[in-house]
Amino acid sequence: MILNKFGLYNKFTTIEGKRDDLVEILLEASKSMEEVNECELYVISLDADNPDSIYVHEVWRDAQAHQASLSMEASQTLIQKAKPIIVGLEKMNASLPIGGKGISSISEN
């Protein structure tokens, strides 16, 4: 039986002119994820076509690990800080990554 990881790809849209503020918050979040072994990938990307949008791609050991991360004190603090400048959150997709460059393969679990 193959145990899949849990992946998310989300698009955040900010109040006009606030993208850089959200980028700073998300980069801070990515630093806090460095200490969370269950988080294998946390990448922030700017939208090349929309100056108020940011994409975040995450890969987790499993969906439960992602859910647990949301209740961490650091995550809660950053979420509260980001909420006032976010006008939209679109879940681009959820996925079941099985391996590749940048994440551990299933056999390594």
Side-chain angles (χ1 to χ4, degrees):
M1 178 174 124
I2 294 179
L3 298 174
N4 292 316
K5 297 177 183 300
F6 178 70
L8 284 174
Y9 190 58
N10 292 319
K11 177 181 178 181
F12 292 87
T13 304
T14 67
I15 294 172
E16 185 176 342
K18 293 294 186 178
R19 180 175 76 173
D20 289 348
D21 294 343
L22 184 57
V23 165
E24 287 181 32
I25 293 167
L26 292 170
L27 287 172
E28 191 175 334
S30 74
K31 286 180 186 171
S32 70
M33 290 304 123
E34 289 176 10
E35 298 177 15
V36 179
N37 291 333
E38 295 84 6
C39 179
E40 295 196 22
L41 187 70
Y42 193 99
V43 177
I44 298 109
S45 301
L46 300 178
D47 186 324
D49 299 320
N50 184 332
D52 298 315
S53 294
I54 303 162
Y55 294 93
V56 178
H57 187 191
E58 303 172 56
V59 175
W60 293 84
R61 182 190 65 212
D62 55 36
Q64 293 79 14
H66 171 260
Q67 193 61 40
S69 76
L70 297 174
S71 63
M72 292 172 41
E73 184 177 339
S75 296
Q76 284 297 309
T77 299
L78 293 170
I79 289 168
Q80 293 308 313
K81 191 174 175 184
K83 274 184 177 182
I85 60 173
I86 296 173
V87 294
L89 171 58
E90 182 180 352
K91 182 163 96 173
M92 304 303 286
N93 74 343
S95 62
L96 302 171
I98 58 170
K101 183 174 178 158
I103 63 170
S104 65
S105 67
I106 298 303
S107 62
E108 294 177 38
N109 286 332

